[in-house]
Amino acid sequence: MSYTRTTTQYLFSPDGLLIGVKRGTRHHPHLATNPSQRAPTMEDTIVLYPSPEIGHVISMVELGKLILHRHGRQFAITVLLTTGFADSPSITSYIGSISRSHPSISFHRFPLVSVDPANPPRSRAAVLFEFIRQNSANVLQSLRDISAASTVRALIIDLFCTPALPMAKELNIPTYYFYTSGASALAAFLYFPRLLERSTKSFKDQDGVVLDFPGLPPLKATQMPEPTLDQNDPAYGEMCYFCDHMTKADGILVNTFEALEPKAVELIASGACVPDAPTPPVYCIGPLISDESSRAGDGTVGGQQDCLSWLDKQPEKSVVFLCFGSRGTFSAEQVKEVAVGLEKSGHRFLWVVKNPFGHEPGSGNGDVDLEALMPEGFLERTKERGMVVRSWAPQVAVLGKEAVGGFVTHCGWNSVLEAVAAGVALVAWPLYAEQHMNRNFLVQEMEMAIGVEQRDGDGFVSGDEVERAVRELMESEQGRKLREKSWAMREKAAEAMGDSGSSTTTLAELAQTWSRAASHEA
């Protein structure tokens, strides 16, 4: 059975203003019509508002794709995009790719907003947060314009886009957060305002101090997310504002699934993280795994295929994969220590290497001079059991190969979920953001990772420690248990996203909430 759906295309001027609406119909022969559901006469729209950086945009678009996949009969998707901060050719390319593959997702670009990053001097996070605040008028105007042409059933925002929350409330638009890390980190972020208001000294200056969170592993004060480290940086106050306002939303969507973090989900629901206010409903709708085909690095296709072909020739579960995310850049000294540890471990490896700090790259990935970076003779000595890839590798595809038996990761949540979905155990090496929290959760709560010991201050990891962690994961009884648990969690991840899985059911309940609002207005 098929149906025909009314569609709406918004026409915007170059400066981002709505100048017209084009309506039409779309025939959907592949979807069954539910006779009990009446097609809306005015298109119901879910508006998504991500932070400007590409990782946040990709995560939010993946959410939009999921909503369309499961509930495309009910809702259209519009994504609001800022202009002027963190813009890059990769974002433009990504948006173009999504527009071609998913024409039901429309993108609304705001007019250009400029922020001077050097005046006054402040952190990059503070500049980002100021930029987002300066787009408030664009958000309000866009919501009004879209509401004139369709019915906005929900606005879903990134944590850093919290300034949009009061504006949406003013327009009576239900507003939700999409928290792209896990439920454990969310529990900590919900508790942040209580922690921050009690602190009289910047966390960056609290060497040796350990912070306690209710129901969560403790964390060194100096390992708090960067925007919270310095009380004199404007980003500190903004983070207080963001985390405090999460409790004022209609709900929080989280990129996790209940079986992965049951304790954290129960902890949030208990109210322990927000003892002085109601906690909004939390919806676990993951794991969302992004499509790599729309964001491959320029000029890397040959190298990608080479590493995948190489993996096909390796024994099952024999290769350790090392990759540290888009910002995972090390010093030249640290790169050499990793090489020393890998060689001493004796294990097969696939290692993604970026240019070290201070290197000014040119236009291509070939600028990574592996011969200069590695210890003398390393590449030749390890060529039979190791492969080093410049700058980027198709991580999801790599983790899906049978040869991969372990993953040394920076603990970025997207990477964690990609490993979980593939059933690959981890060596946890956090670098920035909430990754130190994720490391503690993975090692102490989920028992799916081995943590590396890092030097206080700069996080340096010795070659001996790299060797120890790799050997423990690949050779020890503890490593075997971690690998078994990771493989079992792979099955639970697939179940959660199945037709009757917990995450699918949760999203259906949320969609029903949005649809009930529509029926009440009818």
Side-chain angles (χ1 to χ4, degrees), residues 363-376:
S363 59
N365 293 321
D367 293 321
V368 180
D369 188 344
L370 296 179
E371 289 288 351
L373 279 176
M374 300 298 159
E376 185 176 356

Side-chain angles (χ1 to χ4, degrees), residues 190 194 244 246-249 252 268-269 271 273-281:
L190 286 169
R194 289 92 208 153
D244 183 62
M246 275 200 289
T247 62
K248 298 173 173 58
I252 304 172
I268 296 170
C273 305
V274 191
D276 52 356
T279 302

